[in-house]
Amino acid sequence: MKIVNLTLRTAISASLAASGVVHAYLYIHGYRDIPAVGSAFLLQGSVFCALAVLILAGGPAWMQHVAAIGAAGSLVAFALSRTAGLFGFTETGWQPSPYAAITVVAEVLTLLLVGTTARFSASSRTARSSRRW
């Protein structure tokens, strides 16, 4: 079971880091000049990279839930930026390519991995408690 936890933690960290690095890269390469959105890209890049390191190091489970909330929020922001706009900012399609696709895949993967981890943890807790009786 420990190898499964380590594998899931590593995968969550990798998907978070991928999204964080892409957002930091985009901030440096032009998004810093966009009011509100630029600073959000810098904040997300920083938080996701920090969470990736902390989760990989074995941080508490609530950090994975924070990662899932962040990934979900990022996906909502992505959708808003392509539809109604976000703080007056809009983009079209999968631009900037390939970065938009990379972050969407990384954030969906983060959600799936955190869900898998939560489900795995719940089932192993149930198995342990049933063995005690």
Side-chain angles (χ1 to χ4, degrees):
M1 282 192 254
K2 289 186 180 194
I3 191 73
V4 173
N5 288 334
L6 178 61
T7 303
L8 286 169
R9 273 197 345 255
T10 303
I12 292 167
S13 295
S15 64
L16 277 173
S19 178
V21 167
V22 168
H23 279 87
Y25 175 86
L26 290 173
Y27 172 80
I28 291 167
H29 291 89
Y31 279 62
R32 71 174 139 210
D33 300 324
I34 303 168
V37 172
S39 55
F41 268 60
L42 179 60
L43 179 64
Q44 181 179 347
S46 302
V47 169
F48 276 28
C49 288
L51 274 172
V53 170
L54 292 170
I55 289 169
L56 184 61
W62 62 263
M63 287 185 179
Q64 294 178 13
H65 298 290
V66 170
I69 291 167
S74 182
L75 289 169
V76 168
F78 180 85
L80 285 173
S81 73
R82 274 126 181 97
T83 55
L86 186 64
F87 303 115
F89 175 74
T90 57
E91 287 188 304
T92 56
W94 290 97
Q95 296 302 317
S97 179
Y99 307 108
I102 292 169
T103 60
V104 167
V105 168
E107 289 150 8
V108 168
L109 191 57
T110 298
L111 289 172
L112 292 172
L113 289 166
V114 170
T116 301
T117 303
R119 186 172 181 145
F120 178 75
S121 296
S123 65
S124 66
R125 273 192 303 258
T126 303
R128 279 191 307 246
S129 67
S130 67
R131 280 186 255 155
R132 289 184 207 158
W133 297 100

